[in-house]
Amino acid sequence: MKEILIDYLNRNNQNKFDLKAVIFDMDGVLYDSMPAHDRSWQQTMDEEGLTHEPGEFYLHEGRIGKATIDIIFQRNLQRDATEEEVERIYARKTELFGLYNSGDTIPGAREVLDYVKEMNLTPVLVTGSGQPSLLSRLDHHFPDTFTPGTMVTAFDVVNGKPDPEPFLKGLQKGGELLPHQAIVIENAPLGIEAAVGAGIFTIAVNTGPLSDAILREAGASLVFSSMNHLREALPAIIRLTGVVTA
Ligand code: MG
């Protein structure tokens, strides 16, 4: 564990951590919403007569809707989708997601957030989602945790994941922080790529069907199989960030 933290410091030309915030992705980290996203993407594309690869929507997690649609269009029709097509397909996908989404939280997510607050670290949310009811839902499931001032959503960024922009905005919202002053908790390859691109120590929680190897290849320094396992390891991780030096 210690070596992994030192390796991060060396690669990012830092002498030590100065931990102030923990940045959380939402889908697949706080909410068990990925099965519903996957199912609604698959059904929408089936209805459009467009083929897709098994599990590919887990790999696209974090992309904005248009980018995902264009990848499917390019493969099937060798062109991008028109504005009209994007609008129609994304509206249908959103409609189906509303039907299939359980609203369940990820087991252990609440406990991880509680511990972060107990350690006087600021929890920050970085999501590509742009649902209007996001804050009230978050407030309901994770009370007194996030505010508009500590959330980055689809409305706050020009370039979505895998671009580092959402996480750079997250550092700003955490209190004008530098990369070595935060850690990121992500579940998806493109989210991990974005966080690592922003220079932040990135922990993956593998709550979906992808292999751990894919999350490591995307750049995750640590991979846990659940938020409960992360909760168990978090005291040691946070303690080490306070003592290791490069
Ligand atoms: Mg996610």
Side-chain angles (χ1 to χ4, degrees):
M1 179 86 79
K2 197 177 164 190
E3 293 69 31
I4 292 168
L5 292 164
I6 293 170
D7 179 57
Y8 162 84
L9 293 172
N10 284 329
R11 275 187 291 111
N12 290 276
N13 301 312
Q14 291 297 331
N15 179 245
K16 54 185 171 56
F17 286 89
D18 174 25
L19 201 58
K20 305 280 189 211
V22 180
I23 303 177
F24 293 86
D25 170 52
M26 187 175 75
D27 289 300
V29 169
L30 301 182
Y31 286 103
D32 190 15
S33 45
M34 277 312 296
H37 279 296
D38 177 54
R39 187 178 168 194
S40 47
W41 272 122
Q42 288 199 46
Q43 185 177 330
T44 303
M45 293 307 175
D46 289 344
E47 288 173 3
E48 293 282 331
L50 299 168
T51 61
H52 44 87
E53 312 277 342
E56 89 162 282
F57 297 108
Y58 280 93
L59 290 172
H60 294 318
E61 183 190 348
R63 277 192 215 287
I64 59 165
K66 182 188 162 29
T68 298
I69 293 166
D70 279 342
I71 287 170
I72 303 284
F73 263 66
Q74 282 292 346
R75 191 190 306 134
N76 280 268
L77 305 167
Q78 293 75 51
R79 65 170 176 86
D80 282 349
T82 64
E83 219 171 287
E84 244 181 347
E85 288 166 334
V86 169
E87 211 169 287
R88 180 185 74 230
I89 290 171
Y90 198 65
R92 178 60 174 156
K93 188 261 162 185
T94 303
E95 181 190 10
L96 291 173
F97 178 73
L99 290 176
Y100 299 146
N101 187 24
S102 64
D104 292 344
T105 57
I106 294 273
R110 175 95 180 246
E111 288 78 4
V112 169
L113 286 166
D114 284 347
Y115 185 70
V116 164
K117 289 190 282 185
E118 201 183 306
M119 297 312 290
N120 288 316
L121 299 170
T122 306
V124 176
L125 185 85
V126 169
T127 177
S129 175
Q131 301 163 59
S133 58
L134 213 60
L135 187 57
S136 63
R137 219 159 52 92
L138 282 162
D139 256 345
H140 175 72
H141 291 106
F142 309 103
D144 305 318
T145 304
F146 302 109
T147 67
T150 58
M151 284 171 62
V152 177
T153 73
F155 303 114
D156 298 305
V157 295
V158 178
N159 303 296
K161 301 169 188 178
D163 193 281
E165 186 187 338
F167 287 105
L168 294 173
K169 286 262 160 67
L171 290 173
Q172 280 175 18
K173 290 212 168 185
E176 303 297 330
L177 302 178
L178 295 167
H180 68 288
Q181 295 181 302
I183 55 179
V184 166
I185 316 295
E186 257 286 354
N187 70 304
L190 297 177
I192 293 164
E193 200 183 315
V196 171
I200 309 170
F201 186 82
T202 304
I203 299 173
V205 179
N206 194 356
T207 59
L210 301 176
S211 69
D212 285 0
I214 291 178
L215 305 182
R216 286 185 202 284
E217 277 161 28
S221 289
L222 295 167
V223 182
F224 292 94
S225 59
S226 69
M227 285 295 266
N228 281 320
H229 281 123
L230 171 62
R231 171 63 187 87
E232 283 166 26
L234 206 50
I237 296 169
I238 291 175
R239 190 182 56 79
L240 279 171
T241 62
V243 296
V244 296
T245 50

